[in-house]
Amino acid sequence: MTDTVLILGGRSDIGLATAHAFAALGHPVQLAARDAAALEPEKTDLELRHRVAVTLHELDALDVAGHADFVAALEPAPGIVVSVIGALGDQDADEEDHANAIRVMRANYEGPAVLLACVANQMAARGRGTIVGVSSVAGDRGRATNYIYGSAKAGFTAYLSGLRNRLARQGVHVVTVKPGFVATRMTAHMDLPAKLTAQPGQVADAIVAAVTRRRNVVYVKPVWRLVMTIIRAIPEGIFKKLSI
Amino acid sequence: MTRLSGWGRFPVTEAKVLRPRDEGAVRDALRNGPVIARGNGRSYGDSAVQARGTLDMRGLNRLLAFDPDTGVVEAEAGVMLGDVIRAFLPRGWFPAVTPGTKLITIGGAVASDVHGKNHRHDGSFGRHVAWIDVMDGEGAVHRCTPRDNSELFRWTLGGMGLTGVILRAGFRLRPVTSGWIAQEMRPAANLVEAMEIFETSDATYSVAWFDCLGRGDRLGRSLVMLAEHAERDQLPSSKRHRPFHVPEKPKRRVPLDAPAVALNRYTLRAFNALYHWNGSRKAGPSLVDWDSYFYPLDALLEWNRIYGRRGFAQFQCVLPLISAREGLTALLDAIAASGQGSFLAVLKRLGVQESAFSFPMEGYTLALDFPVNPASLKLMDRLDAITLEHGGRFYLAKDSRLSGETLRAADPRVADFTAMRAGEGRARAFASGQSERLKI
């Protein structure tokens, strides 16, 4: 099991932790991100720790016109692709700032969906491969505090579900990961409840385990499955009056 | 604000913790000084705690380079020693010096100038440091080596983070041909026998575990453990084909704080007797994996909780060779008389070391743990006095309760250190709970 692993969003904490987790098992790694050259120290660190080959790939997730060429140019073609692309945005501000709201929607749905479409076609043609999409529990039900981000993640979750359905008989496996709160640079300004918050390394370990065991939908911290089941079960008439 | 303490969980301070991820963020954090850098929080007391700004350096944790010809690793300060071992032992390299836990950062190893069981032969960690990058209070970074910026280099080794923020370091590893340790355990009936073993042995690694409750001619009853890195051809054939492979052991965790009464003198006595019996039974040579040999307590996560909620303090002093026997006898007498016992009493022989502010000097170092309570604090004051009477000094990485007067009386280098700190605004920019308590 030494497929090359492509990390889409290779600068993020979850992306780097996932790169380390796969590299520790001997997988070569491709890190894709904007300004990829600046990831040279991460490349060196990965290579020194795990003695695997690491390559850097320039990628703008919002440049959907370039995605097909980006995927076609990867050498070797990755056997495992993990998308951690996303942007949290600022819900309050983005209710007024539509340009930024659109950016959040595109970064969480359109960009990664088109990228994975290109990957899926390539893998389907080869008849093998694993795709991991990091979505969010925020996509399980729209809430006042984060529905711009959440709606895009809901779209991405549905997209992954459809992709899994389409590729199931073509030898390609699709994993949906819903991390819940994660202590990263993206959330450093937030006061997160410790019991519901995962470390990037825990998300990475959950991703590796899900790939190995061919899981379909993974909540990194099991408590989130319960929390979201309850939140989804609340009747809309009541839900609309709650602030959660 | 975060409740912060050292490994001994005493004292506890409400501190502002900053988590820089790069050099720029460290520089930004210096604006509202004073600050102190913190690694993995394994120093015992308040040396890596600053209420107004503690910099958690574990976010700067990249390996930067490795030269397989010289064995020099370059790493950011927040890289863990255990990660260095994981990366380089499979290539035949091991830290030249390691303390009793691998759960420390490289920055912490430099700041405390840590030592191990091989100090007599190999000196402290600092002897193997090629260079250090230190950020001063203005945010400027200085590359210092034994030749360039040599004053800053000397003061930073063992300087407890009080000369500036250690950002990166280059340090040499030692070549090894296996991940196994050939260990020989020798029981010693008393202190004189134990010291005799230390003085006549030429082993690379040596350490003695002490039974603190022995009195009279059993005072200093101990197990002396001598060890070498096993050569690959010394391994049984089953291990020889993968000489660096060590089976992973399950980690156990101390589940909750032990009640204070659990560590009374009777349980300690039983523990000590059992340990001694177990050790005598296994006397003679044996092969141990590196993790079990160097880091037995790392397998017991959060073992500091066995001392209960009030925390514990470690007393560690070094006594010069000339007065070591007399001084150790007086220390052990005082401990036995108090009936306090001690879970971990460790004796090591240190070699010659010339350094600006590091702990080691040639002689014997004794380390003891005590649960924090009024009686043990009083006992440690008594141990301070005995140490002073015998020309000894104290290890700041372990200290949580020493007085500035005692420190100054023990070590004439403190005045020079304080004078150095007064220059270039260092004392304003960098301070820890410990430096404020000790007025250094």
Side-chain angles (χ1 to χ4, degrees):
Chain A
M1 187 174 134
T2 46
D3 281 325
T4 294
V5 179
L6 168 65
I7 309 285
L8 301 167
R11 179 173 282 106
S12 77
D13 289 332
I14 295 175
L16 279 172
T18 305
H20 277 282
F22 277 110
L25 298 173
H27 293 270
V29 172
Q30 299 168 331
L31 294 178
R34 250 177 321 194
D35 191 14
L39 289 173
E40 199 62 43
E42 273 69 29
K43 167 180 151 78
T44 303
D45 182 46
L46 279 160
E47 289 176 335
L48 282 172
R49 284 178 194 252
H50 311 296
R51 285 192 286 179
V52 296
V54 178
T55 50
L56 303 176
H57 305 268
E58 190 63 33
L59 170 68
D60 179 351
L62 299 185
D63 174 25
V64 290
H67 286 354
D69 288 345
F70 168 83
V71 171
L74 291 168
E75 180 57 43
I80 300 167
V81 175
V82 182
S83 170
V84 298
I85 291 167
L88 199 53
D90 177 342
Q91 173 70 31
D92 289 347
D94 296 349
E95 286 168 18
E96 307 292 332
D97 182 349
H98 304 306
N100 205 45
I102 289 168
R103 202 185 62 82
V104 171
M105 294 175 200
R106 294 188 64 210
N108 289 301
Y109 178 41
E110 184 186 298
V114 173
L115 268 168
L116 293 186
C118 301
V119 169
N121 294 344
Q122 191 190 60
M123 286 182 174
R126 271 188 298 154
R128 62 182 292 269
T130 303
I131 292 171
V132 180
V134 175
S135 191
S136 171
V137 297
D140 286 7
R141 190 165 193 177
R143 293 181 291 126
T145 51
N146 66 354
Y147 65 83
I148 298 174
Y149 171 79
S151 64
K153 285 295 193 186
F156 189 48
T157 299
Y159 189 91
L160 292 168
S161 168
L163 207 55
R164 177 162 44 245
N165 190 202
R166 171 192 149 198
L167 297 172
R169 269 163 293 179
Q170 293 176 264
V172 180
H173 182 60
V174 178
V175 184
T176 307
V177 179
K178 299 179 182 179
F181 299 137
V182 187
T184 64
R185 269 173 292 196
M186 192 168 89
T187 59
H189 61 286
M190 298 162 73
D191 194 16
L192 300 175
K195 292 224 186 305
L196 293 174
T197 304
Q199 295 301 315
Q202 288 176 290
V203 182
D205 291 345
I207 289 173
V208 171
V211 169
T212 312
R213 294 182 209 145
R214 297 181 76 79
R215 301 273 306 276
N216 297 312
V217 180
V218 177
Y219 288 82
V220 173
K221 284 195 159 257
V223 60
W224 276 104
R225 190 182 289 275
L226 177 69
V227 169
M228 296 320 295
T229 301
I230 293 167
I231 286 179
R232 272 198 307 265
I234 300 170
E236 193 65 21
I238 297 168
F239 188 79
K240 71 179 182 184
K241 293 176 197 150
L242 299 177
S243 48
I244 49 176
Chain B
M1 298 297 270
T2 308
R3 284 170 61 80
L4 207 57
S5 65
W7 185 238
R9 307 170 82 208
F10 167 85
V12 179
T13 306
E14 283 284 331
K16 182 176 158 196
V17 179
L18 300 149
R19 297 189 166 80
R21 298 287 296 263
D22 52 44
E23 193 179 307
V26 175
R27 190 171 288 116
D28 291 343
L30 297 179
R31 291 216 190 97
N32 304 315
V35 298
I36 195 72
R38 178 182 175 96
N40 203 35
R42 250 41 181 203
S43 62
Y44 281 64
D46 45 3
S47 52
V49 176
Q50 168 53 255
R52 283 171 285 178
T54 301
L55 308 185
D56 181 339
M57 297 294 286
R58 289 175 297 185
L60 283 81
N61 62 349
R62 294 176 299 196
L63 291 175
L64 302 170
F66 177 65
D67 182 342
D69 294 328
T70 59
V72 172
V73 178
E74 303 185 6
E76 291 183 326
V79 166
M80 305 277 273
L81 191 63
D83 287 349
V84 171
I85 298 170
R86 191 175 307 145
F88 297 107
L89 181 59
R91 282 173 250 195
W93 299 90
F94 196 78
V97 167
T98 174
T101 171
K102 61 185 180 297
L103 305 176
I104 61 161
T105 61
I106 299 309
V110 171
S112 294
D113 194 7
V114 296
H115 61 272
K117 302 178 179 86
N118 57 339
H119 185 274
R120 190 176 180 183
H121 295 281
D122 299 307
S124 60
F125 193 83
R127 190 191 284 185
H128 309 277
V129 173
W131 57 265
I132 316 167
D133 277 353
V134 183
M135 184 179 282
D136 67 21
E138 304 295 317
V141 179
H142 306 273
R143 167 75 49 115
C144 50
T145 77
R147 279 199 212 131
D148 304 322
N149 286 325
S150 59
E151 279 299 293
L152 182 59
F153 184 81
R154 273 165 27 86
W155 286 119
T156 299
L157 291 174
M160 303 307 289
L162 297 167
T163 63
V165 179
I166 298 164
L167 295 174
R168 291 172 285 270
F171 55 99
R172 283 178 293 275
L173 304 178
R174 71 163 64 223
V176 294
T177 58
S178 89
W180 296 84
I181 304 296
Q183 177 181 255
E184 188 187 346
M185 202 175 283
R186 293 205 203 150
N190 52 43
L191 180 66
V192 177
E193 276 191 33
M195 290 179 71
E196 183 67 20
I197 296 172
F198 275 114
E199 293 305 321
T200 54
S201 161
D202 197 34
T204 303
Y205 298 102
S206 54
V207 62
W209 181 86
F210 261 76
D211 173 349
C212 281
L213 300 179
R215 321 250 340 220
D217 62 358
R218 296 174 81 186
L219 183 106
R221 182 177 70 153
S222 53
L223 292 167
V224 187
M225 285 164 269
L226 309 172
E228 304 288 344
H229 287 280
E231 296 295 335
R232 185 179 168 176
D233 54 22
Q234 287 174 266
L235 301 180
S237 55
S238 61
K239 296 190 172 88
R240 215 173 296 157
H241 67 294
R242 288 172 80 193
F244 300 111
H245 174 76
V246 167
E248 286 250 357
K249 283 175 289 294
K251 296 230 182 311
R252 283 178 293 179
R253 187 178 288 274
V254 175
L256 35 86
D257 298 339
V261 291
L263 279 165
N264 64 27
R265 71 166 78 183
Y266 304 104
T267 53
L268 273 169
R269 208 186 288 268
F271 178 91
N272 283 353
L274 185 68
Y275 191 103
H276 197 80
W277 172 79
N278 190 40
S280 307
R281 198 168 50 110
K282 282 197 293 199
S286 59
L287 208 55
V288 192
D289 69 80
W290 62 271
D291 205 9
S292 307
Y293 176 75
F294 288 105
Y295 314 112
L297 285 170
D298 285 354
L300 189 61
L301 298 173
E302 297 178 18
W303 64 264
N304 51 346
R305 298 175 71 164
I306 62 177
Y307 286 96
R309 211 174 280 279
R310 281 183 297 184
F312 70 107
Q314 184 157 93
F315 175 86
Q316 184 168 357
C317 67
V318 55
L319 299 170
L321 269 192
I322 189 162
S323 58
R325 195 168 118 191
E326 194 189 329
L328 288 168
T329 304
L331 289 168
L332 292 172
D333 267 336
I335 294 160
S338 77
Q340 295 274 323
S342 172
F343 235 46
L344 290 170
V346 172
L347 184 73
K348 293 192 293 280
R349 169 75 156 85
L350 301 184
V352 179
Q353 177 161 344
E354 299 294 334
S355 49
F357 200 56
S358 302
F359 164 69
M361 65 172 166
E362 182 165 39
Y364 280 84
T365 178
L366 181 68
L368 307 142
D369 288 350
F370 298 100
V372 170
N373 58 47
S376 71
L377 289 170
K378 206 173 142 203
L379 170 62
M380 283 185 275
D381 287 343
R382 174 83 195 106
L383 301 182
D384 288 351
I386 295 170
T387 304
L388 281 183
E389 283 164 27
H390 293 85
R393 66 189 188 211
F394 306 95
Y395 192 10
L396 292 181
K398 302 292 181 69
D399 159 58
S400 59
R401 27 72 46 197
L402 209 60
S403 76
E405 292 69 40
T406 307
L407 180 72
R408 259 172 281 278
D411 194 341
R413 302 174 307 169
V414 174
D416 297 336
F417 186 77
T418 310
M420 177 278 300
R421 295 247 303 141
E424 296 174 41
R426 288 198 185 93
R428 274 196 308 281
F430 306 104
S432 61
Q434 181 176 55
S435 75
E436 288 166 355
R437 171 168 50 83
L438 295 173
K439 300 183 180 63
I440 54 175

